[in-house]
Amino acid sequence: MRIVFITFLLLLTGQISWSQSLRVAVAGVSHGHAGFILGRPDKGDIQIAGIYEPDVAVAKLRAKQYHLPENIFYTNLAEMLDAVKPAAVLAFGSIKAHREVVEAAAPRHIHIMVEKPLATTVADAVYMDSLARRYGVHLLTDYETSWYPSVAKTFQLVEDSSFAGKIRKVTINDGHQGPKEIGCGPEFLAWLTDPVLNGGGALMDFGCYGANQMTYLVRNRLPVSVTAVARHYKPQVYPKVEDDATILVDYGDTQCTIQASWNWTFSRKDMEIYGDKGYLIAADKNTLVQRNNERAPATARHITATDIRVYEDPFRYLIDVLNGTVKMPAYGLYAPENNVIVVRILEAARESVRTGKTIKF
């Protein structure tokens, strides 16, 4: 009820309108994914009112890259929020900086969307969630795999048709050849490879996808235990953080193996679900492989947004959450309830790596 009231106030003050564009601010542009919003085609539904970036060189770089006027850039977050009065703020800085964004935005009744994962520590995640609840604002975490039609269709088949039956094993693989290897800029690498600013290396960067999707599948159940191993295959490239991690998340009646790496031969984001009746493999954004008959081979399907309702644009999803067109379920991929659990899993994985022991919940 409080969120509805706050949204009504935003309507009255002109910060948000169902017939006009959503007024947003961007907090940080050092993230390689900043292009998702800065380079987004103008659809008339979003207006970037201001951009906070403390590093002047990075601000100038982004202004040049995306042909943005320099007068919309600020070096002080609070000053920017007070000056432009956005309805929502989008965080594209370090993961650690997400807390600062929520601390500034929530008391001003500004909704927040951050890039994955939600936070580097459980303490920060819980605090950010509590602030959002206290001030009645939405707090969303964006993952690329949330946009995938193949993932949405896989979830539908698991939930609606029991295509695969009782789920026993899930394997989720995410990553690429390495951020330096694929050409991430120095402003991104500076914090992505920092154990404090990113919370770790590949374990955080790509382990979060699997934790997010599995938490959706089990409807926010906490696991029984988490066991993880991490490797430094390229210490000369990534001396401070691990570049490969395997995380076993056990729920007692089912388990998930998360393989997160900066050492894959090719970029990948795929999910395999095995049940007692069949299996489903979301091989990429649009490919779904399925089988539930011993006498029939697996079939591959090309899945698009015409086959299953899915928001392929996360900012359109944000708009519809704010205007009440859609309601985020608590276990939803963007939801804070889900994403606090994601950080719990990741923190337990880090502790398992540090101690060499299984971490029990």
Side-chain angles (χ1 to χ4, degrees):
M1 189 68 185
R2 183 176 174 82
I3 288 176
V4 173
F5 178 69
I6 294 298
T7 303
F8 178 67
L9 288 179
L10 292 174
L11 278 165
L12 290 179
T13 59
Q15 294 181 57
I16 187 170
S17 168
W18 305 154
S19 61
Q20 299 177 0
S21 59
L22 179 71
R23 188 175 175 83
V24 305
V26 179
V29 289
S30 60
H31 199 302
H33 292 176
F36 290 164
I37 185 62
L38 301 182
R40 182 179 187 265
D42 185 4
K43 303 176 182 180
D45 56 356
I46 285 180
Q47 175 194 359
I48 300 178
I51 299 173
Y52 159 69
E53 175 50 61
D55 189 319
V56 175
V58 173
K60 288 182 179 294
L61 173 65
R62 295 292 185 255
K64 182 178 180 180
Q65 281 181 316
Y66 296 101
H67 309 290
L68 301 167
E70 292 193 15
N71 63 1
I72 69 170
F73 285 83
Y74 293 76
T75 56
N76 182 286
L77 177 58
E79 179 184 324
M80 185 264 290
L81 294 176
D82 290 337
V84 306
K85 295 180 171 55
V89 60
L90 314 173
F92 287 96
S94 75
I95 308 307
K96 184 175 175 58
H98 289 174
R99 173 169 172 154
E100 174 192 10
V101 176
V102 176
E103 285 179 321
R108 291 174 169 83
H109 304 293
I110 298 169
H111 303 288
I112 308 116
M113 175 182 273
V114 304
E115 277 299 290
K116 58 81 190 172
L118 173 63
T120 60
T121 67
V122 172
D124 279 3
V126 170
Y127 179 65
M128 290 157 62
D129 181 38
S130 70
L131 278 179
R133 291 173 185 275
R134 182 189 310 171
Y135 292 103
V137 298
H138 288 290
L139 173 59
L140 290 77
T141 303
D142 177 39
Y143 296 78
E144 182 183 338
T145 45
S146 301
W147 324 337
Y148 285 12
S150 64
V151 170
K153 188 63 178 179
T154 297
F155 288 158
Q156 182 193 60
L157 288 170
V158 169
E159 297 159 7
D160 297 344
S161 69
S162 296
F163 180 93
K166 176 64 179 175
I167 304 305
R168 296 302 186 195
K169 288 183 180 291
V170 179
T171 301
I172 304 175
N173 309 297
D174 291 286
H176 47 47
Q177 299 92 324
K180 187 172 183 179
E181 288 82 350
I182 67 170
C184 291
E187 71 282 356
F188 189 17
L189 287 172
W191 64 258
L192 184 62
T193 59
D194 186 290
V196 175
L197 298 179
N198 191 48
L203 186 152
M204 293 292 290
D205 190 27
F206 285 113
C208 60
Y209 285 97
N212 175 243
Q213 292 170 318
M214 191 63 190
T215 299
Y216 179 102
L217 283 168
V218 299
R219 294 295 195 269
N220 287 358
R221 282 170 55 197
L222 283 174
V224 173
S225 66
V226 172
T227 310
V229 294
R231 295 287 181 264
H232 288 83
Y233 291 124
K234 295 180 284 194
Q236 72 282 5
V237 182
Y238 307 109
K240 298 180 181 179
V241 292
E242 78 291 336
D243 50 68
D244 188 271
T246 302
I247 307 168
L248 179 63
V249 189
D250 183 32
Y251 294 87
D253 58 348
T254 187
Q255 66 181 29
C256 178
T257 303
I258 300 169
Q259 299 188 106
S261 183
W262 290 345
N263 289 288
W264 291 116
T265 311
F266 308 107
S267 298
R268 65 185 304 182
K269 288 185 176 73
D270 53 85
M271 174 174 60
E272 307 167 20
I273 297 178
Y274 300 93
D276 58 9
K277 293 182 181 178
Y279 65 74
L280 297 155
I281 301 174
D284 56 38
K285 179 181 179 181
N286 298 111
T287 304
L288 176 62
V289 178
Q290 58 187 74
R291 184 182 183 186
N292 70 349
N293 189 325
E294 179 71 25
R295 294 181 175 83
T299 58
R301 301 172 59 188
H302 183 75
I303 307 296
T304 70
T306 60
D307 300 303
I308 181 76
R309 189 185 184 206
V310 61
Y311 283 84
E312 295 183 285
D313 180 346
F315 309 112
R316 187 66 243 175
Y317 182 76
L318 172 66
I319 292 169
D320 284 355
V321 167
L322 298 193
N323 67 27
T325 301
V326 297
K327 178 178 173 57
M328 281 193 299
Y331 56 84
L333 296 171
Y334 292 88
E337 296 93 333
N338 175 308
N339 283 286
V340 169
I341 294 174
V342 168
V343 181
R344 290 188 185 279
I345 291 171
L346 296 176
E347 189 167 285
R350 286 201 309 255
E351 182 65 9
S352 178
V353 169
R354 187 186 70 83
T355 62
K357 298 179 180 179
T358 293
I359 305 302
K360 296 184 178 181
F361 281 69

